[in-house]
Amino acid sequence: MRSTPRTSPSSRRPYLCQQGAEQAATRLGARFTWTMVHRAVLRSLASDLYGDFLCRSE
């Protein structure tokens, strides 16, 4: 796996999600780009996971 520069989480897309999406798109002969739907789903997932983490760490 290649390394990515350290930046704030809000300024970059999750690398592993992007890598998987790019591989899937390549296999289908397509090109992957981040859409508003992709961004909204990732924000929602991150929020849910963070909330779960906080509940379990109390």
Side-chain angles (χ1 to χ4, degrees):
M1 186 183 326
R2 57 188 174 167
S3 61
T4 58
R6 296 271 179 195
T7 57
S8 70
S10 63
S11 67
R12 64 186 169 100
R13 302 289 167 242
Y15 175 72
L16 291 177
C17 292
Q18 182 172 345
Q19 185 181 28
E22 286 174 348
Q23 287 177 0
T26 299
R27 288 181 182 155
L28 295 171
R31 185 173 158 232
F32 175 77
T33 57
W34 288 100
T35 65
M36 295 302 287
V37 172
H38 290 113
R39 293 177 184 138
V41 167
L42 286 173
R43 268 189 232 106
S44 176
L45 178 62
S47 177
D48 289 348
L49 290 173
Y50 187 67
D52 288 347
F53 173 76
L54 289 177
C55 286
R56 285 167 176 71
S57 65
E58 292 180 341

Short mmCIF file of all heavy atoms in Angstrom, two decimals:
data_model
loop_
_atom_site.label_atom_id
_atom_site.label_comp_id
_atom_site.label_asym_id
_atom_site.label_seq_id
_atom_site.Cartn_x
_atom_site.Cartn_y
_atom_site.Cartn_z
N MET A 1 0.85 -1.17 0.00
CA MET A 1 0.00 0.00 0.00
C MET A 1 0.89 1.23 0.00
O MET A 1 1.85 1.32 0.73
CB MET A 1 -0.88 -0.01 1.25
CG MET A 1 -1.87 1.10 1.24
SD MET A 1 -2.95 1.26 2.71
CE MET A 1 -3.23 -0.38 3.22
N ARG A 2 0.56 2.18 -0.82
CA ARG A 2 1.36 3.40 -0.86
C ARG A 2 0.95 4.33 0.26
O ARG A 2 -0.17 4.30 0.74
CB ARG A 2 1.24 4.07 -2.22
CG ARG A 2 -0.15 4.40 -2.59
CD ARG A 2 -0.27 4.89 -4.01
NE ARG A 2 -1.71 5.00 -4.21
CZ ARG A 2 -2.28 5.60 -5.18
NH1 ARG A 2 -1.59 6.16 -6.11
NH2 ARG A 2 -3.58 5.65 -5.27
N SER A 3 1.89 5.15 0.69
CA SER A 3 1.58 6.07 1.78
C SER A 3 1.00 7.36 1.23
O SER A 3 1.22 7.71 0.08
CB SER A 3 2.83 6.36 2.61
OG SER A 3 3.80 6.97 1.80
N THR A 4 0.25 8.04 2.07
CA THR A 4 -0.34 9.32 1.68
C THR A 4 0.18 10.39 2.62
O THR A 4 0.50 10.11 3.76
CB THR A 4 -1.88 9.28 1.76
OG1 THR A 4 -2.24 8.95 3.08
CG2 THR A 4 -2.45 8.27 0.80
N PRO A 5 0.27 11.62 2.14
CA PRO A 5 0.73 12.70 3.03
C PRO A 5 -0.27 12.92 4.15
O PRO A 5 -1.47 12.72 3.99
CB PRO A 5 0.80 13.91 2.11
CG PRO A 5 0.21 13.54 0.83
CD PRO A 5 -0.02 12.06 0.81
N ARG A 6 0.21 13.32 5.31
CA ARG A 6 -0.66 13.59 6.46
C ARG A 6 -1.33 14.95 6.28
O ARG A 6 -0.67 15.96 6.16
CB ARG A 6 0.15 13.61 7.75
CG ARG A 6 0.78 12.29 8.07
CD ARG A 6 -0.18 11.48 8.87
NE ARG A 6 0.42 10.19 9.17
CZ ARG A 6 -0.26 9.18 9.60
NH1 ARG A 6 -1.55 9.29 9.80
NH2 ARG A 6 0.31 8.05 9.86
N THR A 7 -2.64 14.92 6.23
CA THR A 7 -3.44 16.15 6.16
C THR A 7 -4.61 15.98 7.10
O THR A 7 -4.86 14.89 7.60
CB THR A 7 -3.96 16.42 4.73
OG1 THR A 7 -4.72 15.32 4.31
CG2 THR A 7 -2.82 16.66 3.76
N SER A 8 -5.34 17.04 7.32
CA SER A 8 -6.50 16.93 8.20
C SER A 8 -7.53 16.01 7.56
O SER A 8 -7.69 16.01 6.34
CB SER A 8 -7.10 18.30 8.47
OG SER A 8 -7.70 18.79 7.31
N PRO A 9 -8.24 15.21 8.35
CA PRO A 9 -9.22 14.27 7.81
C PRO A 9 -10.28 14.94 6.94
O PRO A 9 -10.76 14.34 6.00
CB PRO A 9 -9.85 13.64 9.05
CG PRO A 9 -8.84 13.82 10.11
CD PRO A 9 -8.11 15.11 9.79
N SER A 10 -10.63 16.17 7.26
CA SER A 10 -11.68 16.82 6.48
C SER A 10 -11.19 17.27 5.10
O SER A 10 -11.99 17.56 4.23
CB SER A 10 -12.22 18.03 7.25
OG SER A 10 -11.20 18.98 7.44
N SER A 11 -9.89 17.30 4.89
CA SER A 11 -9.38 17.79 3.61
C SER A 11 -9.01 16.67 2.65
O SER A 11 -8.53 16.93 1.56
CB SER A 11 -8.16 18.68 3.83
OG SER A 11 -7.09 17.92 4.32
N ARG A 12 -9.22 15.41 3.04
CA ARG A 12 -8.91 14.30 2.14
C ARG A 12 -9.97 13.22 2.24
O ARG A 12 -10.64 13.09 3.24
CB ARG A 12 -7.53 13.73 2.43
CG ARG A 12 -7.39 13.11 3.78
CD ARG A 12 -5.94 12.70 4.03
NE ARG A 12 -5.77 12.35 5.41
CZ ARG A 12 -5.76 11.11 5.88
NH1 ARG A 12 -5.91 10.12 5.06
NH2 ARG A 12 -5.61 10.87 7.15
N ARG A 13 -10.12 12.48 1.19
CA ARG A 13 -11.08 11.38 1.17
C ARG A 13 -10.39 10.15 1.75
O ARG A 13 -9.20 9.96 1.58
CB ARG A 13 -11.55 11.09 -0.25
CG ARG A 13 -12.18 12.29 -0.90
CD ARG A 13 -13.53 12.58 -0.28
NE ARG A 13 -13.97 13.88 -0.68
CZ ARG A 13 -14.21 14.88 0.15
NH1 ARG A 13 -14.04 14.75 1.43
NH2 ARG A 13 -14.60 16.04 -0.29
N PRO A 14 -11.14 9.28 2.38
CA PRO A 14 -10.55 8.07 2.94
C PRO A 14 -9.84 7.25 1.86
O PRO A 14 -10.45 6.83 0.89
CB PRO A 14 -11.73 7.31 3.51
CG PRO A 14 -12.76 8.36 3.75
CD PRO A 14 -12.55 9.39 2.67
N TYR A 15 -8.55 7.05 2.08
CA TYR A 15 -7.72 6.41 1.07
C TYR A 15 -8.18 5.00 0.73
O TYR A 15 -8.26 4.63 -0.44
CB TYR A 15 -6.26 6.41 1.53
CG TYR A 15 -5.35 5.66 0.61
CD1 TYR A 15 -5.03 6.18 -0.63
CD2 TYR A 15 -4.85 4.42 0.95
CE1 TYR A 15 -4.21 5.50 -1.50
CE2 TYR A 15 -4.03 3.72 0.08
CZ TYR A 15 -3.71 4.27 -1.14
OH TYR A 15 -2.92 3.57 -2.00
N LEU A 16 -8.48 4.19 1.74
CA LEU A 16 -8.86 2.80 1.46
C LEU A 16 -10.17 2.71 0.70
O LEU A 16 -10.32 1.86 -0.18
CB LEU A 16 -8.94 1.99 2.75
CG LEU A 16 -7.60 1.74 3.44
CD1 LEU A 16 -7.82 0.98 4.75
CD2 LEU A 16 -6.66 0.98 2.53
N CYS A 17 -11.12 3.57 1.01
CA CYS A 17 -12.39 3.57 0.26
C CYS A 17 -12.13 3.93 -1.19
O CYS A 17 -12.67 3.31 -2.10
CB CYS A 17 -13.36 4.57 0.87
SG CYS A 17 -13.94 4.12 2.51
N GLN A 18 -11.29 4.93 -1.40
CA GLN A 18 -10.98 5.36 -2.76
C GLN A 18 -10.25 4.26 -3.52
O GLN A 18 -10.57 3.98 -4.67
CB GLN A 18 -10.15 6.63 -2.76
CG GLN A 18 -9.84 7.12 -4.16
CD GLN A 18 -9.19 8.48 -4.17
OE1 GLN A 18 -9.19 9.19 -3.18
NE2 GLN A 18 -8.64 8.85 -5.29
N GLN A 19 -9.30 3.61 -2.86
CA GLN A 19 -8.54 2.56 -3.52
C GLN A 19 -9.46 1.42 -3.95
O GLN A 19 -9.37 0.94 -5.08
CB GLN A 19 -7.47 2.04 -2.57
CG GLN A 19 -6.56 1.01 -3.19
CD GLN A 19 -5.51 0.50 -2.22
OE1 GLN A 19 -5.74 0.48 -1.01
NE2 GLN A 19 -4.39 0.07 -2.73
N GLY A 20 -10.36 1.00 -3.08
CA GLY A 20 -11.30 -0.06 -3.42
C GLY A 20 -12.24 0.33 -4.55
O GLY A 20 -12.51 -0.46 -5.45
N ALA A 21 -12.74 1.56 -4.49
CA ALA A 21 -13.64 2.04 -5.54
C ALA A 21 -12.94 2.13 -6.89
O ALA A 21 -13.51 1.78 -7.92
CB ALA A 21 -14.22 3.39 -5.15
N GLU A 22 -11.69 2.58 -6.88
CA GLU A 22 -10.93 2.68 -8.13
C GLU A 22 -10.67 1.30 -8.72
O GLU A 22 -10.77 1.11 -9.93
CB GLU A 22 -9.61 3.42 -7.90
CG GLU A 22 -9.81 4.91 -7.71
CD GLU A 22 -8.52 5.64 -7.33
OE1 GLU A 22 -7.52 4.98 -6.99
OE2 GLU A 22 -8.55 6.88 -7.37
N GLN A 23 -10.35 0.32 -7.87
CA GLN A 23 -10.12 -1.04 -8.36
C GLN A 23 -11.39 -1.63 -8.95
O GLN A 23 -11.36 -2.26 -10.01
CB GLN A 23 -9.58 -1.93 -7.24
CG GLN A 23 -8.15 -1.62 -6.87
CD GLN A 23 -7.67 -2.46 -5.70
OE1 GLN A 23 -8.40 -3.28 -5.15
NE2 GLN A 23 -6.42 -2.26 -5.30
N ALA A 24 -12.51 -1.43 -8.27
CA ALA A 24 -13.79 -1.94 -8.78
C ALA A 24 -14.15 -1.28 -10.10
O ALA A 24 -14.58 -1.95 -11.05
CB ALA A 24 -14.89 -1.71 -7.75
N ALA A 25 -13.98 0.03 -10.18
CA ALA A 25 -14.30 0.75 -11.42
C ALA A 25 -13.41 0.27 -12.57
O ALA A 25 -13.89 0.08 -13.69
CB ALA A 25 -14.14 2.25 -11.21
N THR A 26 -12.13 0.06 -12.29
CA THR A 26 -11.21 -0.41 -13.33
C THR A 26 -11.64 -1.76 -13.86
O THR A 26 -11.64 -2.00 -15.07
CB THR A 26 -9.77 -0.49 -12.77
OG1 THR A 26 -9.37 0.82 -12.36
CG2 THR A 26 -8.80 -1.02 -13.79
N ARG A 27 -12.06 -2.65 -12.97
CA ARG A 27 -12.53 -3.98 -13.40
C ARG A 27 -13.77 -3.89 -14.27
O ARG A 27 -14.00 -4.74 -15.12
CB ARG A 27 -12.81 -4.86 -12.20
CG ARG A 27 -11.54 -5.30 -11.51
CD ARG A 27 -11.83 -6.19 -10.34
NE ARG A 27 -10.59 -6.54 -9.67
CZ ARG A 27 -10.48 -6.90 -8.42
NH1 ARG A 27 -11.56 -6.99 -7.67
NH2 ARG A 27 -9.32 -7.19 -7.90
N LEU A 28 -14.56 -2.85 -14.04
CA LEU A 28 -15.78 -2.66 -14.83
C LEU A 28 -15.53 -1.81 -16.08
O LEU A 28 -16.45 -1.54 -16.85
CB LEU A 28 -16.86 -1.98 -13.97
CG LEU A 28 -17.36 -2.81 -12.79
CD1 LEU A 28 -18.26 -1.95 -11.90
CD2 LEU A 28 -18.11 -4.04 -13.29
N GLY A 29 -14.30 -1.36 -16.25
CA GLY A 29 -13.97 -0.53 -17.40
C GLY A 29 -14.46 0.89 -17.25
O GLY A 29 -14.73 1.58 -18.22
N ALA A 30 -14.60 1.34 -16.01
CA ALA A 30 -15.12 2.69 -15.74
C ALA A 30 -14.07 3.50 -14.98
O ALA A 30 -12.99 3.01 -14.68
CB ALA A 30 -16.40 2.60 -14.93
N ARG A 31 -14.42 4.73 -14.67
CA ARG A 31 -13.54 5.61 -13.91
C ARG A 31 -14.28 6.07 -12.66
O ARG A 31 -15.44 6.47 -12.74
CB ARG A 31 -13.17 6.81 -14.77
CG ARG A 31 -12.18 7.72 -14.12
CD ARG A 31 -11.72 8.79 -15.10
NE ARG A 31 -11.22 9.89 -14.30
CZ ARG A 31 -11.59 11.14 -14.41
NH1 ARG A 31 -12.44 11.48 -15.35
NH2 ARG A 31 -11.10 12.07 -13.64
N PHE A 32 -13.62 6.04 -11.52
CA PHE A 32 -14.24 6.45 -10.27
C PHE A 32 -13.94 7.91 -9.98
O PHE A 32 -12.81 8.36 -10.11
CB PHE A 32 -13.72 5.60 -9.11
CG PHE A 32 -14.23 6.06 -7.77
CD1 PHE A 32 -15.52 5.78 -7.37
CD2 PHE A 32 -13.43 6.82 -6.94
CE1 PHE A 32 -16.00 6.23 -6.16
CE2 PHE A 32 -13.90 7.26 -5.71
CZ PHE A 32 -15.19 6.97 -5.32
N THR A 33 -14.98 8.63 -9.58
CA THR A 33 -14.82 10.00 -9.06
C THR A 33 -15.74 10.15 -7.86
O THR A 33 -16.79 9.51 -7.78
CB THR A 33 -15.19 11.07 -10.12
OG1 THR A 33 -16.52 10.85 -10.55
CG2 THR A 33 -14.25 11.02 -11.31
N TRP A 34 -15.32 10.97 -6.91
CA TRP A 34 -16.13 11.22 -5.72
C TRP A 34 -17.32 12.09 -6.09
O TRP A 34 -17.16 13.16 -6.65
CB TRP A 34 -15.30 11.92 -4.64
CG TRP A 34 -14.29 11.03 -4.01
CD1 TRP A 34 -12.96 11.00 -4.30
CD2 TRP A 34 -14.51 10.05 -3.00
NE1 TRP A 34 -12.34 10.06 -3.53
CE2 TRP A 34 -13.26 9.45 -2.72
CE3 TRP A 34 -15.63 9.61 -2.31
CZ2 TRP A 34 -13.12 8.45 -1.77
CZ3 TRP A 34 -15.47 8.60 -1.37
CH2 TRP A 34 -14.23 8.04 -1.10
N THR A 35 -18.52 11.62 -5.75
CA THR A 35 -19.73 12.41 -5.99
C THR A 35 -20.25 12.93 -4.65
O THR A 35 -19.77 12.52 -3.59
CB THR A 35 -20.83 11.55 -6.64
OG1 THR A 35 -21.22 10.53 -5.71
CG2 THR A 35 -20.35 10.92 -7.95
N MET A 36 -21.23 13.78 -4.70
CA MET A 36 -21.84 14.28 -3.47
C MET A 36 -22.45 13.13 -2.66
O MET A 36 -22.40 13.14 -1.44
CB MET A 36 -22.90 15.34 -3.79
CG MET A 36 -22.33 16.60 -4.42
SD MET A 36 -21.07 17.40 -3.39
CE MET A 36 -22.08 18.08 -2.12
N VAL A 37 -23.01 12.14 -3.34
CA VAL A 37 -23.59 10.98 -2.65
C VAL A 37 -22.50 10.22 -1.91
O VAL A 37 -22.67 9.85 -0.75
CB VAL A 37 -24.34 10.06 -3.64
CG1 VAL A 37 -24.77 8.78 -2.97
CG2 VAL A 37 -25.52 10.78 -4.25
N HIS A 38 -21.36 9.96 -2.57
CA HIS A 38 -20.24 9.27 -1.91
C HIS A 38 -19.82 10.03 -0.66
O HIS A 38 -19.62 9.43 0.40
CB HIS A 38 -19.02 9.18 -2.85
CG HIS A 38 -19.18 8.26 -3.99
ND1 HIS A 38 -19.23 8.72 -5.28
CD2 HIS A 38 -19.31 6.90 -4.05
CE1 HIS A 38 -19.37 7.69 -6.09
NE2 HIS A 38 -19.43 6.58 -5.38
N ARG A 39 -19.67 11.32 -0.79
CA ARG A 39 -19.22 12.14 0.35
C ARG A 39 -20.23 12.10 1.49
O ARG A 39 -19.85 12.00 2.66
CB ARG A 39 -18.98 13.57 -0.11
CG ARG A 39 -17.80 13.68 -1.06
CD ARG A 39 -17.63 15.09 -1.56
NE ARG A 39 -16.56 15.12 -2.53
CZ ARG A 39 -16.59 15.79 -3.65
NH1 ARG A 39 -17.64 16.52 -3.96
NH2 ARG A 39 -15.56 15.76 -4.47
N ALA A 40 -21.51 12.18 1.18
CA ALA A 40 -22.55 12.17 2.21
C ALA A 40 -22.57 10.82 2.94
O ALA A 40 -22.70 10.77 4.17
CB ALA A 40 -23.92 12.46 1.59
N VAL A 41 -22.44 9.74 2.20
CA VAL A 41 -22.44 8.41 2.81
C VAL A 41 -21.24 8.25 3.73
O VAL A 41 -21.36 7.75 4.85
CB VAL A 41 -22.45 7.30 1.72
CG1 VAL A 41 -22.14 5.94 2.31
CG2 VAL A 41 -23.78 7.29 1.00
N LEU A 42 -20.07 8.69 3.30
CA LEU A 42 -18.88 8.57 4.14
C LEU A 42 -18.99 9.44 5.39
O LEU A 42 -18.58 9.02 6.48
CB LEU A 42 -17.63 8.93 3.35
CG LEU A 42 -17.21 7.86 2.35
CD1 LEU A 42 -16.07 8.37 1.48
CD2 LEU A 42 -16.82 6.58 3.05
N ARG A 43 -19.55 10.64 5.25
CA ARG A 43 -19.74 11.50 6.43
C ARG A 43 -20.69 10.84 7.43
O ARG A 43 -20.46 10.84 8.63
CB ARG A 43 -20.29 12.86 6.02
CG ARG A 43 -19.21 13.87 5.78
CD ARG A 43 -19.80 15.26 5.60
NE ARG A 43 -19.26 15.79 4.37
CZ ARG A 43 -19.91 15.92 3.23
NH1 ARG A 43 -21.16 15.62 3.13
NH2 ARG A 43 -19.30 16.40 2.17
N SER A 44 -21.77 10.26 6.93
CA SER A 44 -22.74 9.59 7.78
C SER A 44 -22.12 8.38 8.48
O SER A 44 -22.30 8.18 9.68
CB SER A 44 -23.95 9.15 6.95
OG SER A 44 -24.85 8.44 7.74
N LEU A 45 -21.38 7.58 7.73
CA LEU A 45 -20.71 6.42 8.30
C LEU A 45 -19.71 6.84 9.37
O LEU A 45 -19.68 6.26 10.46
CB LEU A 45 -20.01 5.63 7.20
CG LEU A 45 -19.21 4.41 7.65
CD1 LEU A 45 -20.13 3.38 8.31
CD2 LEU A 45 -18.48 3.79 6.46
N ALA A 46 -18.92 7.85 9.08
CA ALA A 46 -17.93 8.33 10.06
C ALA A 46 -18.62 8.84 11.32
O ALA A 46 -18.17 8.56 12.43
CB ALA A 46 -17.07 9.42 9.44
N SER A 47 -19.71 9.54 11.16
CA SER A 47 -20.44 10.06 12.31
C SER A 47 -21.00 8.92 13.17
O SER A 47 -20.88 8.94 14.39
CB SER A 47 -21.58 10.96 11.83
OG SER A 47 -22.33 11.42 12.92
N ASP A 48 -21.58 7.92 12.52
CA ASP A 48 -22.12 6.76 13.25
C ASP A 48 -21.02 6.01 13.98
O ASP A 48 -21.17 5.64 15.15
CB ASP A 48 -22.83 5.80 12.30
CG ASP A 48 -24.15 6.35 11.78
OD1 ASP A 48 -24.62 7.38 12.32
OD2 ASP A 48 -24.69 5.76 10.83
N LEU A 49 -19.92 5.78 13.31
CA LEU A 49 -18.81 5.04 13.93
C LEU A 49 -18.21 5.81 15.09
O LEU A 49 -17.89 5.24 16.13
CB LEU A 49 -17.73 4.72 12.89
CG LEU A 49 -18.11 3.68 11.85
CD1 LEU A 49 -17.03 3.57 10.78
CD2 LEU A 49 -18.36 2.33 12.49
N TYR A 50 -18.08 7.11 14.93
CA TYR A 50 -17.52 7.93 16.00
C TYR A 50 -18.46 7.94 17.20
O TYR A 50 -18.02 7.84 18.35
CB TYR A 50 -17.26 9.36 15.50
CG TYR A 50 -16.52 10.20 16.51
CD1 TYR A 50 -15.21 9.91 16.84
CD2 TYR A 50 -17.13 11.27 17.12
CE1 TYR A 50 -14.51 10.67 17.77
CE2 TYR A 50 -16.45 12.05 18.06
CZ TYR A 50 -15.14 11.74 18.37
OH TYR A 50 -14.48 12.50 19.30
N GLY A 51 -19.75 8.04 16.94
CA GLY A 51 -20.74 7.99 18.03
C GLY A 51 -20.69 6.68 18.78
O GLY A 51 -20.72 6.64 20.01
N ASP A 52 -20.57 5.56 18.03
CA ASP A 52 -20.44 4.25 18.67
C ASP A 52 -19.18 4.17 19.52
O ASP A 52 -19.18 3.65 20.62
CB ASP A 52 -20.42 3.13 17.63
CG ASP A 52 -21.76 2.88 16.98
OD1 ASP A 52 -22.78 3.40 17.51
OD2 ASP A 52 -21.80 2.19 15.95
N PHE A 53 -18.10 4.70 18.97
CA PHE A 53 -16.82 4.70 19.70
C PHE A 53 -16.95 5.47 21.01
O PHE A 53 -16.51 5.00 22.06
CB PHE A 53 -15.73 5.31 18.83
CG PHE A 53 -14.43 5.52 19.55
CD1 PHE A 53 -13.59 4.44 19.82
CD2 PHE A 53 -14.06 6.78 19.96
CE1 PHE A 53 -12.40 4.63 20.49
CE2 PHE A 53 -12.87 6.97 20.65
CZ PHE A 53 -12.04 5.90 20.92
N LEU A 54 -17.57 6.64 20.96
CA LEU A 54 -17.73 7.45 22.17
C LEU A 54 -18.58 6.74 23.22
O LEU A 54 -18.27 6.75 24.41
CB LEU A 54 -18.33 8.81 21.84
CG LEU A 54 -17.43 9.79 21.10
CD1 LEU A 54 -18.20 11.06 20.78
CD2 LEU A 54 -16.18 10.10 21.90
N CYS A 55 -19.65 6.10 22.79
CA CYS A 55 -20.52 5.37 23.73
C CYS A 55 -19.76 4.23 24.41
O CYS A 55 -19.94 3.98 25.59
CB CYS A 55 -21.73 4.80 23.00
SG CYS A 55 -22.96 6.03 22.56
N ARG A 56 -18.94 3.55 23.66
CA ARG A 56 -18.24 2.39 24.21
C ARG A 56 -17.01 2.79 25.04
O ARG A 56 -16.50 1.99 25.80
CB ARG A 56 -17.83 1.45 23.10
CG ARG A 56 -19.03 0.66 22.58
CD ARG A 56 -18.75 -0.05 21.29
NE ARG A 56 -19.83 -0.87 20.84
CZ ARG A 56 -20.99 -0.45 20.35
NH1 ARG A 56 -21.24 0.83 20.30
NH2 ARG A 56 -21.92 -1.27 19.94
N SER A 57 -16.55 4.01 24.88
CA SER A 57 -15.35 4.43 25.61
C SER A 57 -15.68 5.11 26.93
O SER A 57 -14.79 5.49 27.67
CB SER A 57 -14.51 5.37 24.75
OG SER A 57 -15.21 6.57 24.50
N GLU A 58 -16.95 5.26 27.26
CA GLU A 58 -17.35 5.91 28.51
C GLU A 58 -17.13 5.01 29.70
O GLU A 58 -17.21 3.85 29.69
CB GLU A 58 -18.80 6.35 28.46
CG GLU A 58 -19.00 7.47 27.46
CD GLU A 58 -20.46 7.91 27.41
OE1 GLU A 58 -21.36 7.15 27.83
OE2 GLU A 58 -20.70 9.00 26.94
#
